[in-house]
Amino acid sequence: SGIPAGTYSLVYKICEILNPTNCDQATVTITVTAPIIDAVDNTASINGYTGGTFTNVLSNDMLNGVAVVSSKVNTTFVSATNLGITLSGTDVVVASGIPAGTYSLVYKICEILNPTNCDQATVTITVTAPIIDAVDNTYNSTCSTNGTLGNILTNDTLNGFGFNASNVTITLQSGGNPNLSLNTTTGDIIVNGISVGQYTLVYKICEVVNPNNCDTANIIITITDITVPEISAAGANVTIDCPASPIFTAPTATDTCGTATINVVSDITTPGSCLSTYSRTITWDATDTSGNHSATVSQTIKIQDKTAPVLSQAPADVTAECSAVPAAATLTATDNCDATPVVTFNEVKTNG
């Protein structure tokens, strides 16, 4: 065994035993044939994201009707339809990052004993796309927040694991707000003083290597207002004279998330010690559209009476007989605070 294919001869001689010199010789011509070598096609399925190896293309190849022993043949690379698919020894190596598709690698095996005794076969490799999974994101924030809320890719997976933003393209499918944006390069969600409410955005990620390998998910953002409005001071406390009516100066308010409303919390009048005098206090606060209340501010105005009533003119002095003393005149009075001031009469007699 193990003689290379070819034509060989063996010469032999026969001599008669009785007459040892009575001899003749002949030649045996031997044709040694090469065994049948059969390289058989293979198929393989490899994940394109990670790449992989199809082990031993010789596993189904035959030499002389039995399985090939690698030490009996030389295995060589012939061609491949993708530069990332190569032959290492007897293994087909598929590099990572090859787009999904069907590729082929052709190899040749030649018998070491008979180097021209060869056959070739094709390994058909199906490169599959990885599973891409975009997962919904939920964010809670306040209307006063500015900056990055988070990154939508944090919980997304490619081939079962996290990935870099450079591995995918990001597009915003629907939703949006002038103060709400999606950075389609990094996947960051950015807000800038967005109004109270709930916002829903839909985004899509597609694998760069396989642009049709995509998935979509929702971004749900709930914006609340937890900041109380800012309220200004009310008017200064003052004291005025009646009959002037008090004029109050209400405060103003601002809110970081929208508008604020000024509300009268209380309006209390406390009577004074004199007629038509009193003290009035109004207290305000501010509320925003989310129901947040500010601190309260107050203004107090006191109404006082410091002006004496005015008595009407008394009649002129007279001299009369004791039997004809005139009756006392009836005088009236006016007052800025009292509509009916009381006039009191006192008579004094001095005997002459």
Side-chain angles (χ1 to χ4, degrees), residues 33-322:
T33 58
I36 296 174
I37 189 168
D38 186 17
V40 181
D41 292 344
N42 292 279
T43 60
S45 180
I46 302 292
N47 185 314
Y49 186 75
T50 58
T53 300
F54 173 71
T55 303
N56 194 10
V57 295
L58 304 180
S59 60
N60 60 344
D61 294 347
M62 307 294 286
L63 182 62
N64 204 43
V66 295
V68 166
V69 177
S70 60
S71 61
K72 300 290 186 180
V73 295
N74 286 320
T75 306
T76 57
F77 172 83
V78 177
S79 65
T81 56
N82 187 286
L83 293 176
I85 299 175
T86 57
L87 187 68
S88 177
T90 60
D91 297 336
V92 176
V93 178
V94 179
S96 63
I98 294 179
T102 301
Y103 304 89
S104 61
L105 177 143
V106 178
Y107 70 96
K108 181 169 71 172
I109 56 173
C110 294
E111 187 186 6
I112 293 175
L113 186 63
N114 299 290
T116 60
N117 183 27
C118 301
D119 195 23
Q120 67 182 32
T122 299
V123 181
T124 301
I125 304 107
T126 300
V127 174
T128 59
I131 295 174
I132 189 168
D133 188 16
V135 182
D136 290 350
N137 294 271
T138 301
Y139 299 101
N140 296 297
S141 188
T142 63
C143 58
S144 58
T145 299
N146 294 314
T148 302
L149 281 183
N151 189 288
I152 60 169
L153 303 180
T154 301
N155 57 347
D156 294 347
T157 59
L158 185 61
N159 205 49
F161 298 95
F163 55 90
N164 295 324
S166 59
N167 295 131
V168 297
T169 58
I170 307 168
T171 55
L172 182 64
Q173 300 295 102
S174 64
N177 182 281
N179 295 322
L180 171 63
S181 62
L182 171 63
N183 186 322
T184 55
T185 300
T186 64
D188 290 334
I189 287 290
I190 301 168
V191 294
N192 181 24
I194 190 169
S195 301
V196 172
Q198 187 174 84
Y199 303 84
T200 299
L201 287 70
V202 178
Y203 73 96
K204 179 168 72 171
I205 54 174
C206 296
E207 189 187 4
V208 171
V209 173
N210 298 294
N212 294 324
N213 185 26
C214 303
D215 196 22
T216 60
N218 297 319
I219 308 167
I220 301 171
I221 302 168
T222 301
I223 302 296
T224 56
D225 179 7
I226 60 173
T227 304
V228 299
E230 294 184 3
I231 190 168
S232 69
N237 296 334
V238 294
T239 299
I240 60 175
D241 288 337
C242 66
S245 298
I247 299 175
F248 289 86
T249 303
T252 59
T254 58
D255 188 65
T256 56
C257 296
T259 58
T261 303
I262 295 295
N263 312 293
V264 175
V265 177
S266 63
D267 186 347
I268 300 173
T269 299
T270 303
S273 58
C274 297
L275 182 66
S276 299
T277 64
Y278 58 93
S279 173
R280 183 180 174 190
T281 300
I282 297 181
T283 300
W284 298 268
D285 76 355
T287 57
D288 60 23
T289 53
S290 296
N292 297 307
H293 286 262
S294 71
T296 59
V297 295
S298 301
Q299 181 183 17
T300 298
I301 298 178
K302 294 182 179 180
I303 292 80
Q304 64 181 3
D305 182 5
K306 297 180 66 176
T307 303
V310 177
L311 195 62
S312 62
Q313 184 64 44
D317 294 344
V318 297
T319 299
E321 293 291 336
C322 61

